[in-house]
Each structure stands twice: as C-alpha cells, then as structure tokens.
Amino acid sequence: MELLKVQGELDWKKLTRNVLIPVVGGSIIGYLANRNTQEQYAELEKPSFSPPGAAFPIAWTALYTMMGVANYRVEMKQDTKKSHAAIPLYDVQLGLNFLWSFLFFKWNLRGTALIEMTIMLGAIAMTAYEFNKNDRTAGALMVPYIGWVMFALILNYSTWKLNK
C-alpha cells in the first residue's frame, strides 16, 4: 500500500484511471490487432526462445499495471515538482506500444514494427528517466518494462529474419 501513497495521500480515482488506461487499452488493442491472425501467427517460424502465447497476456497485464502506478505517482507529484516532460512522454510511448501490435500482427509489417519498437524503446527509456527525476519509485517501476521491450525487440528481429 505504501507504493501507492504519494506524499501521504492515496487518490483511488486517479490510481484506477492510470492503471485501467494501459491495462484495458492494451487488452482492447491486443484483441483488435490479433483478431483473425492466430492461424497466420502460428504458421510463422519463431526463434527457439519465443515464450508460449499464454505468457504474453500475463506479462503485459503486470507491465501495464506497473506503468499505470508509475504514471500515477508522477501525476500525484505534478504540483510539487516539475514534470512537464514526463506525462507527455508516457503518453507517446503508450501510443507507440499500442501501434506496434497492429504493425506486427494485423498488418504483417514486421520490419516496420522493428523500427517502430526501437523508437518506442527510446521513448520508454526517456519516460523512465523523466519519471525517475520526479519519483525514484516511478522510475524503478519502468525498468521491467524496458527489459521486456528489449527482449521483445530481439524476438521481433528474430521472427522478422526467420520469415523474410
């Protein structure tokens, strides 16, 4: 519970909004981008280190939750610290995150998705940096996301190379 308290207060409304936007948004985007593409994806050659499909919704739900909590913590400190770059950067990286699913799954643009993910990783790193300047816990909450996206970048690259 201490993780959620910023400056001694807990705003359940803001916390709920900040967590539900990435979790629900990511679920909807995942559904729309992957609808009618399961067979096509199953036929792709994938690298040996590719996790089972069931791992992805579990990982993304945890990551989106941590991202939402991080954003909440920074948003709660907006009045006391300068966070002029943090929130817009967060929004940009989240938009790029949602776009990637369409590029890779729906539109089969795996090379473009790879380039887009590289840009997204930079946006995530900049977001984590800005979050860390405002709230060390918020910055730390973004680290697993950076690690997962780095892994996903390698997975995207490998899948693209195997299926050119």
Side-chain angles (χ1 to χ4, degrees), residues 49 96-97 99-105 107-124 148-164:
F49 58 87
L96 290 169
N97 179 304
L99 174 61
W100 181 88
S101 295
F102 284 99
L103 292 170
F104 188 88
F105 292 108
W107 303 324
N108 301 313
L109 298 171
R110 291 181 185 83
T112 303
L114 180 63
I115 294 165
E116 190 267 1
M117 187 181 282
T118 304
I119 296 165
M120 178 176 72
L121 183 58
I124 296 166
W148 180 261
V149 172
M150 288 172 66
F151 171 73
L153 186 71
I154 295 165
L155 189 59
N156 186 154
Y157 173 78
S158 300
T159 304
W160 173 63
K161 287 298 274 186
L162 288 168
N163 294 280
K164 278 175 83 172

Side-chain angles (χ1 to χ4, degrees), residues 81-142:
K81 285 194 173 184
K82 292 183 180 179
S83 57
H84 61 278
I87 302 301
L89 275 170
Y90 175 83
D91 293 342
V92 166
Q93 68 78 29
L94 187 60
L96 290 169
N97 179 304
F98 290 168
L99 174 61
W100 181 88
S101 295
F102 284 99
L103 292 170
F104 188 88
F105 292 108
K106 192 70 164 182
W107 303 324
N108 301 313
L109 298 171
R110 291 181 185 83
T112 303
L114 180 63
I115 294 165
E116 190 267 1
M117 187 181 282
T118 304
I119 296 165
M120 178 176 72
L121 183 58
I124 296 166
M126 290 187 323
T127 302
Y129 174 76
E130 290 295 328
F131 275 16
N132 190 64
K133 285 181 6 185
N134 288 278
D135 181 89
R136 286 180 142 331
T137 301
L141 284 166
M142 296 295 284

Side-chain angles (χ1 to χ4, degrees), residues 7-80:
Q7 299 170 340
E9 71 180 86
L10 179 61
D11 185 332
W12 283 104
K13 186 178 177 182
K14 276 186 182 180
L15 175 63
T16 301
R17 176 180 45 83
N18 277 285
V19 170
L20 286 181
I21 287 173
V23 171
V24 173
S27 297
I28 292 168
I29 294 297
Y31 170 76
L32 293 173
N34 292 304
R35 191 176 46 180
N36 304 322
T37 63
Q38 287 89 1
E39 282 182 31
Q40 179 184 2
Y41 181 71
E43 291 175 7
L44 287 175
E45 227 181 301
K46 291 178 254 344
S48 60
F49 58 87
S50 183
F56 291 97
I58 295 166
W60 278 113
T61 300
L63 293 167
Y64 283 142
T65 300
M66 287 189 285
M67 289 165 50
V69 170
N71 193 44
Y72 162 77
R73 290 184 62 86
V74 170
E75 194 175 282
M76 290 297 288
K77 287 188 171 186
Q78 267 189 198
D79 295 336
T80 59

